[in-house]
Amino acid sequence: MAHRPRRGAVALLGGLMLAVAAVAAPFQATAAGMPKAAPAAAGSGLVMVLDSSGSMSGSDGAGSTRIAAARKAVGAVVDALPDGYPTGLRVYGADKSKGCDDTRLVQPVAALDRAGLKRAVAGVRPKGDTPIGLSLRKAAGDLPRPAGGSGGKRTILLISDGEDTCQAPPPCKVAAQLAASGVDLHIDAIGFQVAGKARAQLACIAKAGNGRYYDAPDARALARQLQRAGQLSADGYRFKGKPARGTATRSGAPHLVPGQYLDSIGPGEERWYAVDLDAGSTADFSATVVPQSGATVGLLDTLNTRIAYGTDSACDSSTALFGQSEGATPLTSGVSRIPSQTGTGTCDKAGRYWLVVQRKAPKGSDAARWPMELTFHVEPPLTKGVTPAQSEPEYGAGGKDAALPTTAPRDVTGGTDFNDARPLHPGVWRDRILPAQTLWYKVPVGWGQQLRYDVEFANEPTVRGHSATLSSGGTQVYTPFRIPVGSGTGEFDPSVPYDGRPAALKMGTVPVAWTNRYEGHPNVIPVHQKGDFYIAVTLGAKAAEIAQNPRIGVVLRIAVLGKEKAGPEASAATVTGVAAGRTPGARADGAPLDGGGWSTGRVVAVAVGAVGVLMLAGLALAYARARRKTAVRGGDSDPRRGGSW
């Protein structure tokens, strides 16, 4: 009979007692202090579209002009962008006193030329009209051509102090057409000192373009919001895999072998993929969708994965949901086909199986296709005669009250996705995060060990009038085969409200044990494979309306508890003599000590996305009950500037 861990209390902490050492080294905001970013995916690029109409010569309310403030803001964003990121600049209203065709590309989209972009914007003189619709259409052509299957990200970043003064083409309609033209294009908009109809139009452009609208009431806010939008574009999810075009039914489904693949999925669609399995091996399958960061999602947008066999059998089914309405974030669902202990189950036979992904979207949700990354692994069974260690279904020492490291934090920069997750070892780590961003890390965890960590969001100087705004911080932990295990009705809560004051989350796993796959709790079953466990940390988009600094400080306190065993068997010895400089549970090159292991059991799972705010406890419990029933069927945060820890 499965043992279930006790249900944890909601992790809402009234105050944080953080070490004084945490503020000893301020975050660096200059380009020189930033680590080198991974190369942009093919087809990626950013084009800024700058309003240079006559109104931009007006006062910015701080003793300068709006165009002067825009020049400084563009300089700040290009300094913060990663080296080489393809970036260009288009202006409108700069060449004629009147004219709805007045739009010009002043700096082509090419490898980042900071000096060239600054010179280009310095030469802009406000003159004419505001042909936003035409400029957006032209800007789409300025960007690199879409690179099929590469997972590129193309961004149009509009900066304007007013609404379109030309009748055609309508800017909101143009934005919607461009966003529908491909999964890799979106439009962000920044309204500089706008109100009324102008603000409404710019917000409409961003929403129709699957982007975000940023309000900039003054020059400082303009620089802050422009940095956020630019960095989010450059630091987006970088996909990896071979193209694989799934079919709408099992008929004609492409045949997959173990590996990593790329596809896309639209609202209401199913994507089918065929695989051949033997009678004894485990098959592990995950799907990660990455909508544009401004895409509209709701509590009932879901991603379902299942493994089908025969005409009507499902070996495993898992449903992931965003669980919040601050905007889209990466969302992962994972399933496994695991042979039963008796070997007589419906899904124990050798033959053809299908991996199926389904996207459900209620009315009003994002209608664009979402890029999707798939992983498929096959793991052999344990050697005949090997007796595995007993299951470990309780959190025990790794519960919410576990003692975590309190040493001074070391700076780290999180990855953009599963593929470049930053390797960490136990200790205290400090990073910075943008509103609407997800940062990724990975920690090796061995047999008999468990991962336990806290995420702490910093105290931040806030903008005036933010008191009615509430955002959220979130975290999720994934197994080496990308199965989420930090959601549902377990020990931990994956989200916490954030209003600029300190907020913290606790998260972790049960110990890794091969026989956990036969347990009944959704947070226990997948934890039966040693290797790199992934940590995702997200800050909600509404934090952009709260914090003054472009990025918000975050601290991770990471522990790997328990003595590592040499293998999954009951008689396995404790690992000793770890080589110098090597994290326990990994080879000298950082890879797992072995490739063996098993993934999730034959039950229905429910997960919340990397940034998802946990839904009402009743809904989560309902999903957990559904799962059990289905089983019978198969520098920014610088303390010197006001921020503190």
Side-chain angles (χ1 to χ4, degrees):
M1 181 176 178
H3 299 281
R4 296 187 178 90
R6 65 185 184 278
R7 182 170 179 169
V10 177
L12 299 178
L13 303 184
L16 301 176
M17 299 300 293
L18 303 180
V20 175
V23 299
F27 293 119
Q28 302 300 314
T30 63
M34 295 184 68
K36 290 184 178 179
S44 295
L46 164 69
V47 59
M48 290 177 280
V49 179
L50 177 62
D51 185 347
S52 303
S53 62
S55 60
M56 287 291 285
S57 61
S59 173
D60 70 348
S64 186
T65 62
R66 293 179 180 179
I67 192 64
R71 292 186 187 114
K72 291 180 181 178
V74 170
V77 73
V78 299
D79 281 343
L81 288 172
D83 292 344
Y85 191 77
T87 308
L89 176 67
R90 171 174 287 275
V91 299
Y92 58 81
D95 296 332
K96 304 176 183 179
S97 58
K98 276 192 172 294
C100 286
D101 61 347
D102 185 4
T103 179
R104 175 167 54 96
L105 181 66
V106 296
Q107 186 77 2
V109 179
L112 181 62
D113 178 359
R114 294 188 174 92
L117 282 161
K118 291 176 183 179
R119 284 194 302 269
V121 75
V124 173
R125 299 293 181 267
K127 290 182 181 179
D129 289 324
T130 312
I132 294 177
L134 177 62
S135 298
L136 293 176
R137 186 170 288 170
K138 294 284 188 180
D142 298 335
L143 289 165
R145 294 181 62 84
S150 71
K153 184 172 185 178
R154 303 186 300 150
T155 303
I156 298 172
L157 177 51
L158 171 65
I159 308 105
S160 180
D161 75 338
E163 62 183 312
D164 190 304
T165 58
C166 299
Q167 296 298 315
C172 276
K173 185 175 181 179
V174 170
Q177 291 171 344
L178 293 176
S181 67
V183 298
D184 60 348
L185 176 65
H186 78 287
I187 304 169
D188 292 330
I190 299 177
F192 185 24
Q193 296 183 331
V194 297
K197 290 182 179 180
R199 187 182 188 279
Q201 185 181 75
L202 293 171
C204 175
I205 290 169
K207 183 176 181 180
N210 278 330
R212 293 196 179 279
Y213 172 74
Y214 298 86
D215 222 12
D218 53 43
R220 185 178 178 186
L222 177 63
R224 174 174 65 245
Q225 304 293 39
L226 190 53
Q227 281 191 55
R228 285 170 172 163
Q231 290 172 4
L232 275 176
S233 173
D235 293 339
Y237 197 104
R238 291 176 172 87
F239 294 89
K240 181 179 179 182
K242 300 176 182 178
R245 187 172 179 81
T247 53
T249 65
R250 68 185 67 200
S251 177
H255 182 264
L256 302 186
V257 297
Q260 190 159 313
Y261 299 89
L262 297 177
D263 200 353
S264 66
I265 189 167
E269 280 189 357
E270 281 192 344
R271 307 293 273 177
W272 288 68
Y273 312 88
V275 296
D276 292 322
L277 302 176
D278 62 28
S281 295
T282 293
D284 305 289
F285 176 56
S286 79
T288 299
V289 292
V290 187
Q292 296 292 354
S293 61
T296 302
V297 298
L299 299 177
L300 299 180
D301 279 88
T302 61
L303 183 72
N304 176 270
T305 50
R306 70 181 188 271
I307 297 179
Y309 178 72
T311 57
D312 57 3
S313 296
C315 307
D316 189 12
S317 179
S318 175
T319 297
L321 60 159
F322 294 98
Q324 49 83 31
S325 55
E326 285 192 68
T329 56
L331 184 67
T332 298
S333 178
V335 289
S336 297
R337 174 266 205 174
I338 295 178
S340 68
Q341 290 174 290
T342 63
T344 59
T346 302
C347 295
D348 291 344
K349 301 174 183 178
R352 175 62 54 91
Y353 290 75
W354 287 270
L355 312 177
V356 188
V357 185
Q358 182 182 31
R359 174 185 163 192
K360 294 184 178 180
K363 185 177 180 180
S365 294
D366 182 26
R369 297 190 67 80
W370 291 348
M372 181 168 62
E373 187 173 83
L374 309 170
T375 64
F376 169 43
H377 299 269
V378 173
E379 295 294 327
L382 293 178
T383 304
K384 188 175 181 180
V386 171
T387 301
Q390 67 180 21
S391 61
E392 298 271 6
E394 303 292 341
Y395 286 91
K400 61 180 181 295
D401 297 325
L404 299 185
T406 58
T407 55
R410 285 185 284 178
D411 289 338
V412 68
T413 300
T416 65
D417 49 69
F418 281 110
N419 304 305
D420 72 350
R422 182 57 53 95
L424 296 181
H425 56 74
V428 184
W429 303 91
R430 180 173 54 189
D431 205 343
R432 296 171 295 165
I433 188 168
L434 294 163
Q437 185 178 36
T438 300
L439 297 175
W440 301 78
Y441 313 89
K442 60 183 178 182
V443 181
V445 183
W447 294 112
Q449 294 184 308
Q450 63 187 131
L451 175 63
R452 174 70 174 82
Y453 67 95
D454 281 0
V455 179
E456 300 164 354
F457 296 95
N459 189 34
E460 287 287 333
T462 55
V463 299
R464 185 177 301 174
H466 81 285
S467 57
T469 303
L470 185 64
S471 186
S472 63
T475 189
Q476 181 59 279
V477 57
Y478 303 85
T479 71
F481 288 154
R482 303 188 181 183
I483 310 295
V485 296
S487 303
T489 58
E491 181 84 354
F492 306 106
D493 188 338
S495 69
V496 64
Y498 183 69
D499 62 1
R501 291 175 290 187
L505 287 167
K506 299 174 182 291
M507 185 55 68
T509 72
V510 298
V512 178
W514 186 84
T515 46
N516 280 351
R517 63 191 178 125
Y518 296 125
E519 289 290 336
H521 196 283
N523 290 358
V524 174
I525 298 166
V527 188
H528 48 239
Q529 153 76 34
K530 65 161 290 183
D532 286 333
F533 278 67
Y534 296 92
I535 295 172
V537 176
T538 305
L539 185 65
K542 289 185 179 179
E545 304 171 27
I546 297 171
Q548 285 187 11
N549 294 324
R551 292 191 284 182
I552 288 83
V554 60
V555 163
L556 287 86
R557 300 180 184 274
I558 297 176
V560 176
L561 306 175
K563 295 181 179 180
E564 182 183 4
K565 301 297 182 180
E569 63 271 18
S571 59
T574 300
V575 174
T576 58
V578 178
R582 194 181 91 200
T583 302
R587 298 196 312 244
D589 62 359
L593 288 170
D594 66 8
W598 297 81
S599 193
T600 55
R602 189 173 300 127
V603 294
V604 176
V606 177
V608 177
V611 284
V613 176
L614 188 65
M615 296 184 68
L616 296 175
L619 180 57
L621 182 59
Y623 269 111
R625 289 173 175 169
R627 171 178 179 151
R628 290 193 292 270
K629 290 178 180 178
T630 309
V632 300
R633 299 195 299 267
D636 303 293
S637 294
D638 188 337
R640 297 175 300 184
R641 296 174 57 188
S644 62
W645 293 84

